[in-house]
Amino acid sequence: MLMSKKICKSNAEYEDVGHYAIETFMKHERADELIQSGRAMQFISGIIWRSFNSSTSEYHALYRQKGRMHTLDTTHLEEPDDEYDYDQDRVVSAIQGIIEDMQADRIDLWFRAKLFEMWCEEPNYSELARRTQIPRNSISHAVEEARQYIKQQLKLQNIDYDF
């Protein structure tokens, strides 16, 4: 944004132009090539300069439309952002790792892990029984055994989580 602020000479529009330039660059077919060759910043600065100074640029046509600035609808920004839950992310990653280990280990653990994954997608034992032709009670027992196994493995990893 600093580059955009300098090119736009601190005009109030500099953030919009900067975001437009970044988005345009990310969608560009040669973006990876430009990053690898070290010319990405130069390319982005060109997008910023042309977008801000040209009355025929795509930015001008989309946002200024012959000198008229359109405001951004910010009503959705008034809602509070939910803070990212790093602990939950750590638990989910650990559970995914445990399930992968279960699938790679013994056949009985593989069976429980597969049914547990299916149950996470469709938490209805009757529906799973219809889909898999496995008795409902067998599915519920396998899912519960998988849950207990996962809880046990989480405790071994010093992760306190109850689901």
Side-chain angles (χ1 to χ4, degrees):
M1 285 303 130
L2 183 61
M3 179 171 46
S4 179
K5 188 174 185 178
K6 288 180 180 180
I7 292 171
C8 298
K9 299 178 179 115
S10 296
N11 185 297
E13 211 176 322
Y14 82 89
E15 282 187 351
D16 293 333
V17 175
H19 286 118
Y20 172 80
I22 292 169
E23 180 182 5
T24 302
F25 177 75
M26 290 173 58
K27 291 178 180 178
H28 197 276
E29 61 188 24
R30 293 183 51 215
D32 291 332
E33 174 189 333
L34 291 165
I35 291 169
Q36 296 299 324
S37 66
R39 295 182 298 150
M41 293 301 280
Q42 180 183 6
F43 190 82
I44 292 172
S45 69
I47 294 172
I48 293 170
W49 193 89
R50 285 185 297 281
S51 297
F52 183 72
N53 292 306
S54 173
S55 62
T56 59
S57 70
E58 185 178 336
Y59 174 83
H60 185 80
L62 286 172
Y63 299 105
R64 289 185 186 154
Q65 296 184 0
K66 299 180 183 171
R68 293 186 304 245
M69 282 291 294
H70 295 278
T71 59
L72 176 65
D73 178 20
T74 58
T75 55
H76 68 283
L77 298 176
E78 295 168 6
E79 299 172 10
D81 288 338
D82 292 333
E83 195 165 311
Y84 187 78
D85 191 348
Y86 290 98
D87 291 332
Q88 182 181 4
D89 187 48
R90 187 171 66 102
V91 170
V92 169
S93 295
I95 291 172
Q96 288 172 337
I98 292 167
I99 290 172
E100 287 175 10
D101 291 344
M102 289 172 71
Q103 291 173 347
D105 205 359
R106 302 184 322 251
I107 190 72
D108 60 321
L109 289 178
W110 176 87
F111 176 74
R112 292 177 186 135
K114 281 297 183 186
L115 286 176
F116 181 79
E117 284 182 327
M118 292 173 73
W119 177 78
C120 287
E121 295 293 322
E122 174 60 61
N124 183 325
Y125 294 128
S126 297
E127 179 61 29
L128 289 176
R130 278 191 286 281
R131 286 186 192 173
T132 62
Q133 299 298 309
I134 299 171
R136 186 173 167 254
N137 285 342
S138 297
I139 294 173
S140 66
H141 290 301
V143 168
E144 186 55 35
E145 289 169 358
R147 289 178 67 194
Q148 293 304 320
Y149 183 84
I150 291 169
K151 284 182 186 179
Q152 178 187 20
Q153 294 300 312
L154 288 173
K155 283 183 183 177
L156 290 175
Q157 296 177 21
N158 294 323
I159 298 175
D160 185 33
Y161 184 75
D162 190 35
F163 60 96

